[in-house]
Amino acid sequence: MKNLYLSLLKTRSVIIGLITAIIFQVLFSIIWITGYDHVTDRIDQFKIIIVNEDSKIGAQVANNLEENLKFKITQSSVLKSAMDKLDDRKVQMVIYIPEDFSSTLQNNEKKAEIIYSLNESNPSMLKSVMQTVEEKVTSTINKESVKSGLQFTFEQMHVPSNQVIGLSQGLSERIHPVVNNINKVSNFSRLMVPMMLVMASFTGSMLFIMEMNKAAKAFKTLYNRWQRFGARVLLIITATILISTIGSIMVYVMGVHSHQGFITMWYFQMIYVLTFLFLAQVPFFIVGDAGGWVNISMLSIQLLSSGSTIPRELLSNFYQNVSNFLPATYAVDGIMKLVTGGPSISHEIIMLFRILIGIIVITLILVALQWENKKEKSSNLTNI
């Protein structure tokens, strides 16, 4: 038993397996801990649009919210434009103050409404944060500083002085928050689909490329580098069709249906799986067998920065900037729109194609720069 143990321990496969397991521990610890570091301190990076249609008290409320809320606040007069940005996840909340806000507020028998809109097609953390914002906004309106400012507004509107104090003090009782969320998600599992598909697709891609790289070594002296690269591309295309087809069918069978149809889901999965496969083979052209370890770090970075677990706005600038160049970012955005609702995924498709073209260009350069030994050159002449 002891001899067998020592013999196995000295084998190349066991040594590589142990190193890989250790690298997983090291890289995941470094990437995930630094990525999540001080996440809650960056909540102020969330974007909120205030749409005010009331030129009187509503304007005072909007200005006060912009001063008091510790978020990236912008004001707009066009509700549709703000809602389009919310639907496309460019902002995290829209606060709407209707045109009749002032007149309703002066009527003791009615409650003035402030409408909060949130896109639920986002990581679940965002919904909980924005629910807190909703409560905070309503509370902020009722602060004494707001009341004093509104007293002046009431006076400018020639409201009788005996009503001014009563209106200001009773403001909190007559502000009625209305929640009008879009792309509602009733099943939490829908929010986990983007992370699941991206993780499964890239992990499967890196393992397939690793095994394909091992197999290709047996033919290194029989075919030249361009023949080997051509065969790799054909294998990648074959793998893309199989992986995306099985993946799309499995998601559909499990009850997760695309809002834009099964064909769109399948086509989109084809694009990001193809991109993952081409990306996963790049490290092998640069560092050889150690490319598998590079892919481990890419897996972790993509999962962290893609927005599948927490909103990208909460990440540090480094991870936010890196995410703009990684395919997982656009894969997650597209899948989220498909399974939970949202606008067209044309932007995500375009970005994935741009990344794919860039990767292919880099790969062609690396293949062209590959060194060939005498046996390979001799083989090349024979094959001509």
Side-chain angles (χ1 to χ4, degrees), residues 112-158:
E113 292 184 345
I114 291 184
I115 302 172
Y116 304 90
S117 296
L118 168 69
N119 187 354
E120 293 191 17
S121 177
N122 273 296
S124 56
M125 178 184 180
L126 178 61
K127 183 176 180 180
S128 61
V129 171
M130 288 297 108
Q131 287 174 338
T132 303
V133 171
E134 173 201 327
E135 298 172 359
K136 185 177 180 180
V137 167
T138 306
S139 174
T140 300
I141 295 175
N142 298 309
K143 285 183 178 179
E144 197 63 35
S145 60
V146 179
K147 292 179 184 178
S148 60
L150 290 177
Q151 286 182 21
F152 174 77
T153 304
F154 283 134
E155 291 170 357
Q156 294 298 308
M157 293 170 60
H158 306 292

Side-chain angles (χ1 to χ4, degrees), residues 39 53 110 138 143 155 193 219 223 249 290 300 330 334 342 382:
V39 159
E53 294 184 349
K110 295 183 179 180
T138 306
K143 285 183 178 179
E155 291 170 357
V193 170
F219 303 93
Y223 300 93
I249 291 174
S300 190
Y330 306 101
T382 304

Side-chain angles (χ1 to χ4, degrees), residues 57 102-109 147-148 150-172 174:
I57 301 176
S102 293
S103 59
T104 306
L105 202 58
Q106 294 176 60
N107 189 334
N108 292 327
E109 297 179 357
K147 292 179 184 178
S148 60
L150 290 177
Q151 286 182 21
F152 174 77
T153 304
F154 283 134
E155 291 170 357
Q156 294 298 308
M157 293 170 60
H158 306 292
V159 177
S161 57
N162 61 339
Q163 296 181 26
V164 170
I165 297 177
L167 283 171
S168 298
Q169 291 179 343
L171 185 61
S172 62
R174 295 206 310 280

